[in-house]
Amino acid sequence: MAIYKGYSSVGRNFEGTEMTDSSLVRADLLNHFNTRPGERLMHPDFGCLVWQYLFDPFTDGAKFNIIENLQDIIKADPRVVLRDIEVAEFEHGLSVSLDLVYAETNEVETMKVNFDQRNSSAVQV
């Protein structure tokens, strides 16, 4: 039996798009990562700061701010606990590796997300 239940909003056909547990949490985190601060109506602080640093030099200060923001995003979701985080450059953007533990099931996973400059999206790899 599923602990969490929701629907994917990817595409227009909602038939067969029901999601549960860790897949729903991953989709919600990815949605948060793809939202830039100020995009969400009535929530100007909601969103991921990576987009503000994506085209700037990857300095230690930028890395610290990105890690701090990603930690805050994950701490805001009670369904998941962050164990470790790594941020690195890749050819067209930044790559983030998140070691997560899903709270209710104790399932451990490494979620890898690339923030790509070319198509301005965060994609799980």
Side-chain angles (χ1 to χ4, degrees):
M1 178 164 196
I3 296 169
Y4 307 115
K5 186 176 178 181
Y7 293 92
S8 172
S9 60
V10 177
R12 297 219 178 248
N13 182 3
F14 283 94
E15 186 176 321
T17 58
E18 185 176 298
M19 302 176 82
T20 59
D21 299 339
S22 60
S23 63
L24 179 63
V25 176
R26 274 191 302 278
D28 289 346
L29 287 174
L30 201 55
N31 184 37
H32 198 141
F33 296 156
N34 272 302
T35 304
R36 287 137 181 92
E39 279 188 335
R40 190 165 177 193
L41 187 63
M42 306 293 288
H43 296 278
D45 296 328
F46 182 88
C48 186
L49 293 179
V50 171
W51 304 106
Q52 296 175 351
Y53 294 98
L54 202 56
F55 292 96
D56 293 341
F58 189 60
T59 63
D60 288 339
K63 183 176 181 178
F64 175 80
N65 290 337
I66 290 168
I67 289 173
E68 189 175 64
N69 179 246
L70 293 171
Q71 288 171 336
D72 290 343
I73 289 170
I74 294 170
K75 283 180 189 174
D77 192 332
R79 302 172 295 178
V80 67
V81 175
L82 179 65
R83 291 192 332 181
D84 191 30
I85 186 170
E86 292 180 26
V87 179
E89 287 183 288
F90 81 101
E91 187 176 352
H92 297 287
L94 296 174
S95 179
V96 176
S97 179
L98 306 161
D99 286 339
L100 304 172
V101 178
Y102 297 98
E104 295 293 326
T105 62
N106 286 328
E107 177 186 349
V108 178
E109 175 186 40
T110 299
M111 181 178 179
K112 296 184 181 193
V113 180
N114 285 344
F115 291 85
D116 197 333
Q117 295 170 340
R118 294 173 298 174
N119 57 12
S120 295
S121 67
V123 179
Q124 186 176 358
V125 288

